[in-house]
Amino acid sequence: MSTAADKTIILITGANSGIGLETIIALSKSSPSYHLLLGSRSFQKGQAALSKIQADHGPALLSPITPIEVDVTSTSTIEATKTYLESTFSRLNILIQNAGIIVHRPCTTLENLRLTFETNVFGPRVLTETLVPLLQKSTNPRVIYVSSEQGSITLRSDPEYPWRDVPGTEYRMSKAALNMLAACDRYGFRSWGGKVTSFNPGWCVTNLTGEEGRVMRERGGARSAEDPARALVEVVNGKRDKEAREESGILYLDGGVRPWSSKIRGGCLRAVVV
């Protein structure tokens, strides 16, 4: 009989819906070797999500799932998460930073920036920093930032980029900052063996822009959140490591990477390799 000591402990933030939820399901179905922590802003939302997962998938679930309250904008829940992990598992193997928002209600530009960066950038930075000591106790520690190619300066500057007219300056800015965080952590964590990936899930059906946005995505042909979830399982299992190391950038769900920055060379925009 396996115990928590034998399992890979994985925490996923924003896991009560969308990509995070589907990743929890995909990981649990793929192997009994994980203990999955379903992070959400409130324990009630997490428990409701778990109940639905169990009702829908039942015996197909191989790995245990535990709901945990972790609001990346709340230092108290971040500290509580660290305390829980220390006392229950004494380590963390993999952290998937999936929580993110697009502000779609009317507000000032300044308020939009503050809300967006608080969840998409400041929170992930603080959460990762807080949990590094627990990640360092793992034999194969990973941090995966669920980002977006909308944060790529290279693609935003490319006149041929098909999504160049998509609005959302504040969101784009936050994902560019998150990509920089991933690049910095990727460099900084080398000394203790931490692997860091910035992951681009593509355009898929989520609750990121509310119910109206969800309907718009469905009608517009957006992909199911199950697609990036399957790709994240591959990242967790190390199947994309070679690709991620040889081609620096935002790992794309269908293979290859999207450039995460840009540099002018002879008048042309090219990806920066770091």
Side-chain angles (χ1 to χ4, degrees):
M1 181 178 179
S2 64
T3 65
D6 304 319
K7 293 185 179 294
T8 298
I9 312 303
I10 304 177
L11 169 60
I12 306 180
T13 65
N16 59 292
S17 66
I19 295 169
L21 179 71
E22 293 299 337
T23 303
I24 288 279
I25 296 168
L27 284 168
S28 183
K29 285 183 172 182
S30 70
S31 170
S33 64
Y34 307 121
H35 191 121
L36 302 164
L37 302 176
L38 189 161
S40 60
R41 288 198 172 200
S42 73
F43 180 79
Q44 291 75 18
K45 287 183 177 180
Q47 186 59 58
L50 177 57
S51 296
K52 188 174 190 319
I53 290 172
Q54 292 172 331
D56 292 346
H57 302 280
L61 301 172
L62 303 176
S63 285
I65 303 168
T66 301
I68 179 173
E69 181 179 351
V70 53
D71 180 350
V72 298
T73 68
S74 165
T75 55
S76 62
T77 67
I78 288 174
E79 288 296 334
T81 297
K82 180 184 179 183
T83 300
Y84 169 77
L85 289 168
E86 285 177 330
S87 61
T88 308
F89 307 106
S90 76
R91 72 190 186 284
L92 176 64
N93 299 90
I94 300 173
L95 172 61
I96 302 179
Q97 295 261 24
N98 171 70
I101 63 169
I102 293 176
V103 178
H104 52 86
R105 64 173 175 80
C107 62
T108 66
T109 298
L110 184 57
E111 184 180 8
N112 191 324
L113 284 166
R114 285 173 172 161
L115 290 169
T116 302
F117 271 72
E118 188 76 18
T119 297
N120 294 1
V121 185
F122 304 158
R125 164 62 169 153
V126 174
L127 180 60
T128 297
E129 182 180 52
T130 300
L131 299 183
V132 159
L134 291 164
L135 287 162
Q136 289 175 327
K137 294 180 180 180
S138 167
T139 56
N140 187 25
R142 294 179 182 273
V143 178
I144 302 167
Y145 291 106
V146 178
S147 186
S148 172
E149 67 182 43
Q150 295 298 305
S152 168
I153 299 172
T154 300
L155 295 176
R156 187 67 187 90
S157 305
D158 184 353
E160 302 301 320
Y161 180 53
W163 304 107
R164 62 188 178 279
D165 294 326
V166 173
T169 297
E170 293 80 11
Y171 178 77
R172 288 178 182 271
M173 290 170 63
S174 73
K175 290 303 185 179
L178 185 66
N179 289 333
M180 176 56 79
L181 173 58
C184 289
D185 284 351
R186 177 175 170 179
Y187 181 83
F189 293 177
R190 292 180 305 168
S191 61
W192 49 271
K195 296 183 178 70
V196 180
T197 304
S198 180
F199 175 76
N200 173 39
W203 192 48
C204 59
V205 179
T206 70
N207 294 324
L208 193 62
T209 51
E211 183 58 31
E212 184 177 339
R214 182 184 183 86
V215 172
M216 178 273 292
R217 288 170 182 248
E218 290 174 344
R219 290 175 177 172
R223 301 169 66 162
S224 167
E226 294 178 1
D227 289 351
R230 282 191 288 268
L232 280 168
V233 172
E234 293 183 344
V235 176
V236 164
N237 291 330
K239 294 182 179 179
R240 305 284 296 272
D241 281 359
K242 184 174 184 292
E243 180 182 16
R245 292 298 169 267
E246 292 182 353
E247 300 181 67
S248 181
I250 315 164
L251 199 64
Y252 188 54
L253 76 160
D254 287 330
V257 300
R258 296 292 192 264
W260 54 19
S261 187
S262 62
K263 184 175 181 181
I264 303 295
R265 291 180 183 170
C268 298
L269 283 167
R270 298 185 182 179
V272 173
V273 176
V274 298

